[in-house]
Amino acid sequence: MQPESTPPNADITATPVPERAPTPAKLTEVSSLTLEGLTRFLTEELGERAFRAGQLYRWMHQRGATSFEEMTDLSKVLREKLKTRAEIVPLVKDAEQRSVDGTIKYRWKTRDGRYIESVYMPSEDRKTLCVSTQVGCAMACTFCMTGTLGLKRNLTSGEIVAQVHAVNREVRKLEKLETYRPLSNLVFMGMGEPLHNFENLKTALSILQSVEGPNFSHRHITVSTVGLVPMIERFGQETDVKLAISLNASTDEQRSKTMPVNRKWNIAALLDACRKFPLRQGRRITFEYVLLRDFNDSDEDAYRLIELLKDIPAKVNLIPYNENPGLGFKTTMDERAEHFRELLTNGHVAAFIRQNRGRDIAGACGQLANRGGENASESTQNPELP
Ligand code: SAH
């Protein structure tokens, strides 16, 4: 039998018909790129001139554009090309809850059906956004709602930045403002451990601080960490924004009970990293201390805290605990919190009681786990520390 071959009269120069449609090339997430990365993508991958990158970047990060369609000063040809090669990763508003104090909690749905939250906190002199960096969190702090979820995935830098753009858009509409960037301050205290997603955090910061982008000042950005010691050093070397440490205890025994990270890097190791942290002139490290009734709020706790912080330029934020049913911790009474603050102040440690924002909507940072979404339905993951 003859092997199957080209039939006699067939035109062998004709392009063979592909068996199935070619799969589309993976789209590049351009909203996750720094201006430098975007320039490289446009010039090297798309053969465009470098200044086009600046135009695209400003559309995305100054004006918060979410589609190529609206970028009217880019040629139609380029916009079409971008549609086939690139994407701006969207965050779709899924729910919003408003507190009587003006705080608004936004829940976003990611493209893969996850939920993350950001909390908008307006006050007289600033408009602050609390930003998430991960879906869930691997740190498993026992008082924290997000800690009960385990880590689902890191957010991309585009998704971190998209929270800021989306809330700018919301606030602009809500408060009838002309300015593209109503937000003045950012705190990375939402879902997740920022230093556990360091590369994407760093890229997001570089976008958020860029002059061609939203141009946030380093003085108006604070990143809060559970205390990943080796990453604190890198954070100090590779960024210039402010550092906050979630201390939440005055002894290792206490801290290891509520914050598993302490079993790897104890208080001494953590404070040592803080002493070595390259602080800019006049800056202090913020220590967050969630007050848990009859757990870490005694006079002895205050005295130990004074001792621990005595040689560190520090400021303590005492945070009234937002109770989460089922986690077993109670809020310290207001008078006790005030007494605790006075003890610290008398011991020459600057201490403030953080205003409890959005209490009626469970809007506290660290309380941002959603119970209904897909995030909650899966098993938790073990902490994997760097
Ligand atoms: N992983 C980072 C940032 C997210 S948590 C960190 O640990 O710093 C941000 C802050 O919220 C932390 O100081 C945490 O201790 C605090 N927190 C967590 N759950 C809370 C709750 N239910 N009420 C008040 N503060 C809470």
Side-chain angles (χ1 to χ4, degrees):
M1 207 173 93
Q2 287 279 312
E4 266 187 60
S5 63
T6 316
N9 302 318
D11 176 4
I12 52 164
T13 61
T15 325
V17 180
E19 278 174 25
R20 50 191 152 88
T23 42
K26 196 176 169 318
L27 301 177
T28 297
E29 193 179 323
V30 282
S31 49
S32 272
L33 299 176
T34 59
L35 180 55
E36 201 189 356
L38 189 63
T39 306
R40 226 175 302 126
F41 173 70
L42 252 75
T43 53
E44 290 171 18
E45 305 277 324
L46 302 191
E48 292 290 333
R49 311 259 302 277
F51 77 97
R52 294 282 177 214
Q55 284 180 303
L56 174 54
Y57 188 87
R58 284 190 295 275
W59 269 111
M60 290 189 292
H61 298 304
Q62 248 166 20
R63 298 173 169 225
T66 51
S67 74
F68 300 121
E69 210 50 61
E70 63 197 281
M71 304 180 179
T72 42
D73 60 354
L74 298 186
S75 74
K76 213 167 164 72
V77 177
L78 176 55
R79 279 185 272 158
E80 288 305 316
K81 185 156 37 160
L82 283 168
K83 275 196 235 164
T84 62
R85 299 291 301 276
E87 62 181 341
I88 300 171
V89 159
L91 280 180
V92 177
K93 186 164 91 176
D94 178 68
E96 144 183 351
Q97 270 178 297
R98 295 192 193 184
S99 157
V100 287
D101 68 12
T103 299
I104 308 176
K105 182 163 79 166
Y106 294 99
R107 184 162 87 163
W108 319 105
K109 191 170 185 177
T110 64
R111 202 172 27 179
D112 55 342
R114 307 284 191 182
Y115 297 93
I116 56 159
E117 296 183 342
S118 327
V119 182
Y120 170 59
M121 298 168 287
S123 66
E124 226 158 73
D125 61 335
R126 63 186 70 172
K127 295 179 193 297
T128 305
L129 187 69
C130 179
V131 181
S132 293
T133 51
Q134 296 180 313
V135 183
C137 183
M139 300 299 129
C141 301
T142 56
F143 52 82
C144 175
M145 201 67 155
T146 311
T148 62
L149 293 176
L151 177 65
K152 303 307 178 200
R153 72 168 171 86
N154 282 332
L155 293 179
T156 65
S157 21
E159 289 170 321
I160 296 173
V161 172
Q163 296 168 62
V164 179
H165 293 327
V167 175
N168 271 328
R169 208 160 36 240
E170 294 286 330
V171 174
R172 219 160 43 220
K173 245 190 316 186
L174 191 73
E175 300 179 15
K176 300 191 173 48
L177 301 169
E178 297 286 317
T179 155
Y180 276 114
R181 204 204 80 183
L183 290 172
S184 60
N185 292 61
L186 302 175
V187 294
F188 287 79
M189 298 181 185
M191 296 171 81
E193 166 51 41
L195 301 193
H196 195 208
N197 184 15
F198 186 62
E199 289 305 327
N200 293 348
L201 171 77
K202 225 173 74 172
T203 307
L205 287 175
S206 136
I207 294 172
L208 291 165
Q209 293 182 263
S210 62
V211 182
E212 308 256 14
N215 198 15
F216 280 92
S217 155
H218 56 85
R219 283 170 286 126
H220 296 152
I221 301 180
T222 302
V223 172
S224 175
T225 177
V226 79
L228 300 182
V229 166
M231 300 312 293
I232 291 174
E233 192 183 338
R234 277 194 67 191
F235 176 77
Q237 286 163 354
E238 299 175 33
T239 79
D240 60 358
V241 300
K242 298 204 276 191
L243 174 67
I245 303 276
S246 295
L247 188 56
N248 296 341
S250 70
T251 68
D252 278 322
E253 196 197 350
Q254 244 175 17
R255 197 165 191 267
S256 293
K257 266 190 204 152
T258 48
M259 303 180 70
V261 70
N262 198 68
R263 297 175 208 150
K264 186 143 183 175
W265 295 289
N266 64 15
I267 295 180
L270 175 58
L271 296 184
D272 203 39
C274 291
R275 276 183 211 99
K276 293 187 187 128
F277 190 78
L279 274 180
R280 291 185 161 231
Q281 184 140 37
R283 248 188 217 177
R284 292 181 286 186
I285 297 176
T286 299
F287 288 88
E288 294 155 282
Y289 196 95
V290 178
L291 285 165
L292 303 167
R293 194 196 303 172
D294 299 331
F295 182 79
N296 66 0
D297 63 352
S298 69
D299 288 4
E300 289 68 39
D301 284 306
Y303 298 137
R304 279 192 292 261
L305 211 47
I306 293 166
E307 196 53 32
L308 287 173
L309 299 179
K310 67 173 188 239
D311 56 354
I312 301 176
K315 174 179 115 176
V316 174
N317 265 350
L318 298 169
I319 309 178
Y321 181 58
N322 270 272
E323 290 180 13
N324 294 302
L327 297 189
F329 293 95
K330 291 258 171 281
T331 310
T332 296
M333 293 295 165
D334 288 353
E335 307 78 64
R336 176 85 224 147
E338 180 50 29
H339 176 68
F340 197 91
R341 190 194 66 75
E342 273 171 22
L343 292 178
L344 293 182
T345 311
N346 293 344
H348 308 290
V349 172
F352 306 87
I353 297 177
R354 186 149 91 195
Q355 211 192 338
N356 200 339
R357 303 298 307 261
R359 199 169 200 159
D360 51 329
I361 57 166
C365 299
Q367 216 186 6
L368 298 179
N370 60 87
R371 298 263 100 199
E374 197 179 309
N375 297 347
S377 63
E378 292 163 34
S379 64
T380 55
Q381 216 168 288
N382 283 333
E384 213 182 271
L385 303 174

